[in-house]
Amino acid sequence: MLRNTLLSIHLLSIINWIGAGFFELYLGRVFIAAKGEPTEAPLIRIIYGSDLVVFGATILAFAAGIAMAITEGYWFFTVLWLGLKQAIMLIVVAIVIFILPTAMRLNAAIQNLPPGPGPASEDVRALYGKLEPWYWVMRILAVFAVLLAVWRPVL
């Protein structure tokens, strides 16, 4: 029962992480194209809101994955496919920790925008520009982690 609960939490977190993450990346493209338009501020608010979902899902997936590995006796880096997934998740968590101060500055800059539609400030655009490449890296790593979970290579 514990395994099924942890697996459910892990899978739902991964679905949220990848789903919200790619939704966020799509909206990011729209945000960048909308520079100076009235849709820019609402878009960045939605993107940042999904950031919180993605970050939370990332940490929850990581914690549930660790708990599953420990309860099933795998521990860390003992099986190739699981060890690779664990390494990927450690990299992702390190990225989250690394970009968190920038994300918090972005949140503060978004909070300083006037309510309603309108263009975003240059500060908001610059901060988002710093975060966006890291979002791509994390989503690509998430896809690799899912592929490893499905494929489970044995060497």
Side-chain angles (χ1 to χ4, degrees), residues 9 15 17 29 31 35 41 46 73-74 79-80 82 113 125 128-129 151:
I9 291 169
I15 290 167
W17 178 27
R29 301 286 79 193
F31 169 74
K35 184 176 180 179
I46 293 168
Y74 287 114
V79 178
L80 177 66
L82 185 57
L113 292 175
R125 287 187 205 105
Y128 181 77
W151 178 40

Side-chain angles (χ1 to χ4, degrees), residues 10-68:
H10 188 67
L11 290 175
L12 289 172
S13 298
I14 295 295
I15 290 167
N16 278 309
W17 178 27
I18 294 174
F22 280 109
F23 173 70
E24 172 188 81
L25 286 174
Y26 165 75
L27 287 182
R29 301 286 79 193
V30 176
F31 169 74
I32 290 168
K35 184 176 180 179
E37 295 181 14
T39 57
E40 197 177 18
L43 280 168
I44 195 62
R45 288 185 187 103
I46 293 168
I47 291 167
Y48 191 78
S50 69
D51 269 354
L52 299 176
V53 172
V54 171
F55 286 162
T58 301
I59 300 305
L60 194 55
F62 183 65
I66 288 172
M68 275 195 314

Side-chain angles (χ1 to χ4, degrees), residues 62-101:
F62 183 65
I66 288 172
M68 275 195 314
I70 291 171
T71 59
E72 292 183 18
Y74 287 114
W75 292 91
F76 297 95
F77 308 107
T78 57
V79 178
L80 177 66
W81 69 271
L82 185 57
L84 290 172
K85 277 185 61 174
Q86 290 167 338
I88 287 170
M89 286 307 296
L90 285 173
I91 292 167
V92 168
V93 169
I95 291 171
V96 167
I97 292 167
F98 175 74
I99 68 173
L100 191 59

